[in-house]
Amino acid sequence: MTIGKPNILCVDDEPSNLRLLEAMLTARGYEVIKAVNGREAMEKISQNKIDLVLLDVMMPEINGFDVCKMIKKEEIYRNIPVILVTALGSSKDRVRGIESGADDFISKPFDHGEILARINMLLKVKSLNERLNSAYLNINSMVSYGEEIVKHFDPLHFNLMPMLDNIVSMCIRKTEDMVEKPETIIIGLPDKTKQWQWFKYQCLGGEITKHEIENHFSSKLTAFTSQYQRQTKIEFSNKADIGKSECCPFIADIAKFEPNSIAVSNMVCYCSDKLVILALNYGRDVTAYDASVLNSLVMQSMFLMSLSKQVRETEDAFDYIVYALARAAEANDEDTGNHIIRVGAYCSIIAKQLGLSENFINLVRLQAQMHDVGKIHIHPDILRKPGKLTPEEFDQMKQHTIYGAKILGDHVRLMLAKEIALSHHERWDGSGYPYGLKGEQIPLSGRILNIADQYDALRNARVYKPAFDHQKTYHIITEGDGRTMPHHFDPRILQAFKETSHYFEEIYETHREV
């Protein structure tokens, strides 16, 4: 039923009849609203939340049959029970009443006990219909909610708190007539340090407010939650049973410590070692259905949180394997693991400067580390040779690009790494290897890696050259020294390098060899 007293609209053109109905109904705890004709009755229905109509049939201007039709014609009023109160007793009149949409008939003069019993019965039916409609809307909401989650679910950037905010928005009462929903929701969850944080949600003026609960109350909540560290519970309690609930001490703490203390009439509680949700003060008795609705929404969120954690763990393992493979490739080279870290960072700086997507920036940072993975197949004597390579040895060295592409294969997750491994020694003017690609024939990732790798090579000592400082390296890349020339690089990427070269210096100094 509705919050407080049910509102009953009594419609009769005889004032004495209205007084009689009012005295009888108010004595039984009902709120009586009166109307003396059909037009006034429709005005009262539009202005008030009416739970049942007692409607006289024989009235001037608009009779009860027509008023009943008007009520039942409007979708928002259709579920209001209408009892026709009439002295007409013929079968024809009853058929007419049924056709007008009446839910019941009372014959004049009426028996008080009978009319009260019928009112009580119809209000129960109305309450059940409202719960059925609420259940239907909840099911539709949960289906739509699930579809939206699946559509936008990003396991690598999953955040439980916004999802809980969405659950609150679905569950909380936003207007006075949404009596099937709770007035207040309290949520607790542990942060990264495993300290519990508590938030209270309410809807004020159509806007959902959220505030963090003060520390002195938070400790009480946390103590309550510790009772359930090894179990998950979903329970519900109404006013008559709330004192028997395991949550009872917690409920008392709410009233005692919470600002604007909450008088709790009923509640649904989900409690686990990862999350606590308390939905308080539904406008009617709560049932196992309400607990199931809350449990279903929470389970969706907890499943996605678990799935996100597993995906992130898998991604972390993938990143580790990428780095381990890149390190293995350079085991016999003069570079160390810091070289591959630096090159990945340089590439991400250029990609960001070029306005490329966040996804590409993150991918190139990671997968650029495997640019020289093909060196696994190059003989250590060539990689470690202290002097200049012979033409034959250099031809063999060039093969590391092709070997790298073969090692990385055709898996979709490694396509960028394969592209980089194969093309990072190609040059914009076509003088690179292994295929002598020119201009935009070279993949963008390879063009980015080419300048990043060249910067790092110039900064490091080689058997044929000393280590250059940042200024010298910048001059060689942008002005040329005969061996390295500006026209070796994509002009757009060269410009991006010029604009961000100070970051290159910072990255090198941060990750320089020890």
Side-chain angles (χ1 to χ4, degrees):
M1 283 190 202
T2 58
I3 292 175
K5 299 178 180 180
N7 293 325
I8 297 181
L9 175 63
C10 298
V11 188
D12 200 308
D13 60 333
E14 289 290 339
S16 58
N17 289 341
L18 289 177
R19 287 193 296 271
L20 178 62
L21 289 170
E22 183 177 26
M24 177 184 66
L25 295 172
T26 53
R28 292 304 182 99
Y30 297 116
E31 192 73 39
V32 175
I33 298 171
K34 295 177 287 185
V36 297
N37 56 54
R39 281 196 183 83
E40 187 180 4
M42 295 307 297
E43 288 175 5
K44 298 287 187 181
I45 289 175
S46 66
Q47 295 167 0
N48 301 274
K49 188 177 188 311
I50 303 299
D51 296 295
L52 183 141
V53 179
L54 287 173
L55 179 61
D56 184 33
V57 172
M58 304 300 293
M59 293 187 297
E61 296 185 24
I62 308 174
N63 64 42
F65 296 126
D66 291 336
V67 173
C68 186
K69 286 179 183 178
M70 292 165 67
I71 294 171
K72 297 298 182 178
K73 182 180 179 181
E74 299 292 333
E75 186 174 354
I76 59 173
Y77 308 138
R78 194 168 293 160
N79 291 326
I80 300 174
V82 176
I83 299 177
L84 291 179
V85 183
T86 178
L88 302 174
S90 70
S91 174
K92 181 179 178 181
D93 290 324
R94 287 189 170 272
V95 169
R96 188 178 177 189
I98 293 169
E99 289 175 345
S100 70
D103 297 275
D104 206 346
F105 298 88
I106 295 288
S107 297
K108 291 182 178 180
F110 51 78
D111 178 80
H112 287 200
E114 178 186 5
I115 197 168
L116 289 170
R118 295 194 180 191
I119 287 171
N120 186 53
M121 181 269 295
L122 285 173
L123 287 175
K124 286 181 179 179
V125 170
K126 179 176 182 287
S127 176
L128 290 172
N129 283 335
E130 287 175 347
R131 291 190 183 190
L132 181 62
N133 288 336
S134 175
Y136 173 76
L137 292 174
N138 276 332
I139 290 169
N140 279 345
S141 294
M142 285 190 286
V143 169
S144 299
Y145 178 63
E147 288 174 347
E148 285 301 305
I149 287 175
V150 171
K151 192 184 300 181
H152 299 106
F153 179 55
D154 180 357
L156 296 179
H157 301 94
F158 177 81
N159 188 338
L160 181 61
M161 200 69 236
M163 183 161 284
L164 294 176
D165 291 342
N166 288 336
I167 288 177
V168 170
S169 180
M170 289 175 60
C171 294
I172 203 164
R173 187 187 309 166
K174 299 188 183 75
T175 57
E176 290 184 4
D177 60 330
M178 297 174 72
V179 295
E180 74 284 355
K181 295 179 179 289
E183 283 184 323
T184 302
I185 293 178
I186 292 175
I187 287 180
L189 70 167
D191 61 18
K192 291 180 181 178
T193 64
K194 298 188 177 179
Q195 296 295 311
W196 281 79
Q197 295 178 298
W198 296 92
F199 303 91
K200 186 178 83 169
Y201 297 80
Q202 289 181 305
C203 192
L204 302 172
E207 294 290 329
I208 296 175
T209 64
K210 170 185 176 183
H211 78 261
E212 189 166 358
I213 293 175
E214 298 294 333
N215 289 335
H216 61 279
F217 182 47
S218 176
S219 62
K220 298 284 184 179
L221 291 160
T222 301
F224 161 75
T225 306
S226 66
Q227 300 174 35
Y228 303 104
Q229 288 295 314
R230 291 180 174 82
Q231 58 183 314
T232 298
K233 297 176 72 71
I234 180 80
E235 65 171 285
F236 64 96
S237 299
N238 291 302
K239 194 165 188 176
D241 301 316
I242 209 161
K244 305 171 188 175
S245 166
E246 294 183 29
C247 299
C248 188
F250 168 70
I251 296 300
D253 281 341
I254 292 179
K256 183 176 179 181
F257 292 102
E258 168 65 3
N260 306 314
S261 61
I262 306 165
V264 179
S265 59
N266 57 32
M267 50 152 271
V268 177
C269 173
Y270 173 90
C271 190
S272 74
D273 62 341
K274 295 182 178 63
L275 178 67
V276 173
I277 299 183
L278 284 141
L280 305 175
N281 296 343
Y282 292 71
R284 43 137 180 97
D285 283 353
V286 291
T287 66
Y289 168 76
D290 299 300
S292 295
V293 169
L294 183 61
N295 194 50
S296 295
L297 291 169
V298 171
M299 285 300 100
Q300 286 185 44
S301 300
M302 299 308 287
F303 168 75
L304 292 176
M305 184 171 73
S306 176
L307 178 60
S308 174
K309 181 180 178 183
Q310 292 175 40
V311 170
R312 282 199 292 262
E313 288 174 351
T314 302
E315 285 298 306
D316 288 344
F318 176 78
D319 293 355
Y320 180 82
I321 290 169
V322 166
Y323 180 69
L325 181 59
R327 287 293 301 269
E330 297 190 334
N332 292 314
D333 204 350
E334 56 190 322
D335 288 323
T336 72
N338 283 357
H339 163 71
I340 59 177
I341 292 172
R342 291 193 301 266
V343 167
Y346 301 149
C347 287
S348 69
I349 292 295
I350 292 176
K352 185 174 182 179
Q353 188 67 15
L354 293 174
L356 301 177
S357 71
E358 192 71 27
N359 183 55
F360 183 89
I361 293 168
N362 293 330
L363 274 178
V364 79
R365 180 195 300 272
L366 174 68
Q367 300 201 16
Q369 296 181 45
M370 292 189 286
H371 63 284
D372 279 339
V373 72
K375 288 183 178 180
I376 288 174
H377 287 303
I378 303 301
H379 198 280
D381 291 347
I382 295 176
L383 293 173
R384 293 177 175 176
K385 185 174 179 178
K388 185 178 179 180
L389 298 179
T390 67
E392 293 77 14
E393 288 170 335
F394 188 56
D395 285 342
Q396 181 61 34
M397 178 65 85
K398 289 178 181 179
Q399 292 298 304
H400 82 275
T401 56
I402 295 172
Y403 294 149
K406 288 181 179 178
I407 290 169
L408 294 167
D410 296 322
H411 194 281
V412 65
R413 292 293 304 277
L414 295 172
M415 291 307 293
L416 186 68
K418 178 182 179 180
E419 185 179 87
I420 289 170
L422 189 60
S423 65
H424 71 283
H425 282 294
E426 300 285 3
R427 292 175 174 174
W428 185 255
D429 65 351
S431 63
Y433 64 85
Y435 299 124
L437 300 179
K438 186 176 182 179
E440 294 192 359
Q441 292 177 331
I442 308 166
L444 178 61
S445 59
R447 286 178 261 154
I448 292 172
L449 197 290
N450 180 252
I451 201 167
D453 193 34
Q454 189 66 24
Y455 176 87
D456 207 68
L458 290 168
R459 292 300 310 268
N460 288 315
R462 293 290 187 263
V463 294
Y464 53 84
K465 61 168 277 299
F468 298 138
D469 63 17
H470 174 72
Q471 293 301 326
K472 175 76 170 178
T473 300
Y474 179 86
H475 176 79
I476 291 172
I477 289 175
T478 58
E479 302 294 333
D481 67 350
R483 182 184 179 93
T484 298
M485 299 299 292
H487 55 260
H488 291 164
F489 309 111
D490 178 341
R492 191 162 63 104
I493 293 173
L494 181 60
Q495 181 60 34
F497 168 76
K498 292 176 181 178
E499 293 165 354
T500 59
S501 65
H502 59 287
Y503 292 122
F504 280 59
E505 183 176 19
E506 289 176 12
I507 290 165
Y508 185 85
E509 295 301 328
T510 301
H511 299 285
R512 70 181 304 156
E513 318 300 347
V514 179

